[in-house]
Amino acid sequence: MKPAQLSFREKVGYGLGDTASNIVFQMVANFMLIFYTDVYGLSAAAAGTLLLAVRLFDAFTDPIMGSIADRTRSRWGSYRPYLLFLAIPYGVFACLAFITPDFSSAGKLVYAYLTYGLLMTCYTAINIPYGALGAVMANDPKERASLQSYRFAMAMAALLVIVWAIPRLVEYFGNGDDQVGYPLAMVFMSVLAITCFLLCFKLTKENVQPSQKGPKRALFTEFFTLFKNDQWVVVTLISVATLTLIGIRASVTPHYIKYYVGDESLLSNFLTLAAVGSILGAIATNFLTRFYEKKHLFQIALIVVIISHGLFYIVDTSSIVTIFILYFVANFAHMVLTPILFSMVADTVDYGTTKIGKRLTAVTFSGHLLGIKLGFAIGGALAGWILSGFDYVPNQQQTEHTLSGILFAFAGIPVVCMLICLVLIYKYKLTEPEVRRIQASLS
């Protein structure tokens, strides 16, 4: 087995994969709902249901893709080939999802389901092998945490590019017509995503060869065996709650700025500063995990996220600087959580080998990604449903009742999600010494 230390080149190369993934993920998270309601013409309730239904479809595709990836054997490895062969389809579907066809209302709804479904299916097929790749690049717990911090620093770099550039690109290409601006902006971003995936393929290696010991199981049987891995269950439940936060907050942030704060021109700067906070949080994680146990650091970050979101209920909408600072802090702390969470998934692979009797790397990550998508689906659907329930009307001045709903979705639900995570993290027991003990027993 190669030494545990990865080169800077390998870490950056791996991070480029999540730069590519997040070009689409952040477009969907930050702009899809407002695109569907204010540009495409769907009702908030229909858009929320669409976001939920398509993502729940991944309940079938995720475990299948995980098993397929674990069974893949090629001259490029088990997981890297998917970066090479799916990069271009990924970019094409991203563009198609932001086209507004000249169809009837029913036709547009069908088109939205079809294109968004294809995009998320392709996202599954490329992102599950990508996530599993991190587990076979290194096996040391600290090195895994370092690798994930690079990953998410570069993922947040994609967020920074998206939130800064998309409003400007939409305006530039559309010249006031967002139905023209959005798809052309996505062409620009898709080329960037394709390039990053191909570089990720070129700059990474699969250094840890997966064990082939253990009985062969059917695709879905392998997925269901994951539930014997109690630590994977804990991490996945935390991910569901965390991504519910991301899904709902990101979906309504444009609504929060446009209607609650009352100045749509602030959106790009608001999201850009938040992205800077996320990048700094990911970078800080690489430093902080050298001195603090991951679980303890995770708990501290959870508390910071809870407090920062709760303060949105106190701050006045005229206090723009305070609002910006709170959102910066919330995103900084949240991005401390994320690399740790993904490194925990890699640790549950080792733990699961002792519990299940077979190393299910991609299946484990596919199950975790399913939890992520479930949370993201719940968050996106809640955003649409809450807006509808509080009588949201696109492109109109909102009532106090509606504004209270926007604030509840933006800040209230995230507080609830993080409180759930704070309870769940006490059940996590894979400390760094325990992971090393497990790895020693497997060698």
Side-chain angles (χ1 to χ4, degrees):
M1 183 180 297
K2 289 186 68 174
Q5 292 293 320
L6 295 174
S7 68
F8 175 76
R9 176 179 179 270
E10 287 176 301
K11 291 179 180 179
V12 170
Y14 184 67
L16 284 171
D18 224 11
T19 301
S21 292
N22 267 268
I23 285 173
V24 166
F25 184 85
Q26 297 300 339
M27 273 298 297
V28 170
N30 290 284
F31 298 102
M32 184 64 87
L33 182 61
I34 201 164
F35 168 76
Y36 277 148
T37 59
D38 290 25
V39 180
Y40 195 84
L42 297 182
S43 70
T49 301
L50 163 63
L51 296 178
L52 177 65
V54 170
R55 291 166 189 168
L56 288 181
F57 174 70
D58 291 330
F60 298 96
T61 61
D62 279 15
I64 292 173
M65 190 62 225
S67 290
I68 291 173
D70 274 337
R71 287 168 164 79
T72 299
R73 298 293 179 266
S74 75
R75 63 191 176 107
W76 301 289
S78 295
Y79 311 118
R80 290 173 63 242
Y82 295 94
L83 308 180
L84 177 64
F85 293 110
L86 292 178
I88 291 177
Y90 176 82
V92 171
F93 291 138
C95 296
L96 292 176
F98 282 89
I99 290 175
T100 303
D102 186 18
F103 295 161
S104 66
S105 296
K108 289 173 70 174
L109 187 61
V110 170
Y111 179 84
Y113 269 92
L114 179 63
T115 54
Y116 186 52
L118 287 171
L119 172 60
M120 295 311 293
T121 300
C122 193
Y123 179 87
T124 293
I126 199 168
N127 199 258
I128 285 175
Y130 169 72
L133 175 61
V136 296
M137 288 181 66
N139 60 359
D140 179 74
K142 285 189 178 296
E143 194 68 6
R144 283 174 172 173
S146 175
L147 182 64
Q148 296 299 332
S149 71
Y150 273 80
R151 170 186 179 177
F152 286 101
M154 298 186 71
M156 291 306 100
L159 170 60
L160 180 61
V161 171
I162 286 290
V163 299
W164 180 86
I166 286 299
R168 291 167 172 81
L169 289 173
V170 170
E171 176 63 27
Y172 175 77
F173 289 122
N175 195 26
D177 186 351
D178 288 353
Q179 290 188 359
V180 174
Y182 267 101
L184 292 179
M186 279 309 298
V187 170
F188 181 89
M189 288 299 171
S190 293
V191 171
L192 179 60
I194 291 168
T195 303
C196 288
F197 266 134
L198 295 179
L199 285 172
C200 179
F201 168 80
K202 180 177 177 60
L203 297 175
T204 56
K205 296 178 181 178
E206 297 184 17
N207 297 318
V208 181
Q209 297 302 315
S211 173
Q212 300 305 307
K213 296 179 181 179
K216 292 186 177 180
R217 298 180 173 92
L219 297 183
F220 276 97
T221 301
E222 286 187 340
F223 171 72
F224 288 120
T225 60
L226 287 176
F227 290 91
K228 297 179 181 178
N229 184 337
D230 57 290
Q231 295 301 287
W232 173 84
V233 172
V234 169
V235 171
T236 301
L237 289 175
I238 291 173
S239 297
V240 171
T242 301
L243 267 294
T244 299
L245 181 158
I246 293 176
I248 191 168
R249 189 187 66 187
S251 294
V252 300
T253 295
H255 302 80
Y256 174 79
I257 293 297
K258 182 177 180 179
Y259 301 110
Y260 193 88
V261 176
D263 189 349
E264 188 177 9
S265 67
L266 295 174
L267 179 60
S268 179
N269 290 335
F270 187 68
L271 294 176
T272 300
L273 183 65
V276 171
S278 296
I279 293 171
L280 293 177
I283 294 172
T285 305
N286 188 38
F287 173 78
L288 292 171
T289 50
R290 299 176 187 176
F291 304 100
Y292 297 98
E293 168 60 38
K294 290 190 295 186
K295 179 178 177 178
H296 182 58
L297 183 60
F298 196 87
Q299 291 168 321
I300 294 172
L302 282 173
I303 293 170
V304 174
V305 176
I306 291 169
I307 294 172
S308 57
H309 280 90
L311 289 174
F312 279 108
Y313 273 92
I314 299 174
V315 65
D316 190 83
T317 56
S318 63
S319 302
I320 302 300
V321 173
T322 304
I323 290 174
F324 271 60
I325 291 172
L326 284 177
Y327 203 53
F328 175 89
V329 172
N331 280 271
F332 178 93
H334 192 274
M335 196 42 60
V336 172
L337 296 174
T338 307
I340 296 174
L341 189 59
F342 275 76
S343 69
M344 287 176 175
V345 180
D347 294 341
T348 67
V349 174
D350 297 325
Y351 176 78
T353 305
T354 65
K355 297 282 288 187
I356 301 170
K358 183 177 181 181
R359 189 175 184 88
L360 301 174
T361 306
V363 173
T364 302
F365 276 88
S366 73
H368 179 249
L369 183 58
L370 175 57
I372 287 175
K373 290 181 177 179
L374 177 61
F376 197 48
I378 293 170
L382 281 175
W385 294 341
I386 289 173
L387 290 179
S388 179
F390 281 81
D391 304 320
Y392 169 75
V393 180
N395 300 310
Q396 301 290 328
Q397 185 173 352
Q398 307 301 323
T399 66
E400 287 298 321
H401 177 65
T402 304
L403 293 177
S404 68
I406 291 173
L407 181 60
F408 176 62
F410 178 76
I413 295 294
V415 169
V416 174
C417 291
M418 292 295 95
L419 287 172
I420 292 171
C421 291
L422 199 57
V423 173
L424 288 169
I425 191 61
Y426 281 101
K427 300 291 184 180
Y428 185 77
K429 63 184 182 183
L430 296 181
T431 60
E432 291 168 11
E434 178 64 13
V435 172
R436 291 193 177 95
R437 185 195 67 78
I438 291 171
Q439 290 176 341
S441 71
L442 294 172
S443 61

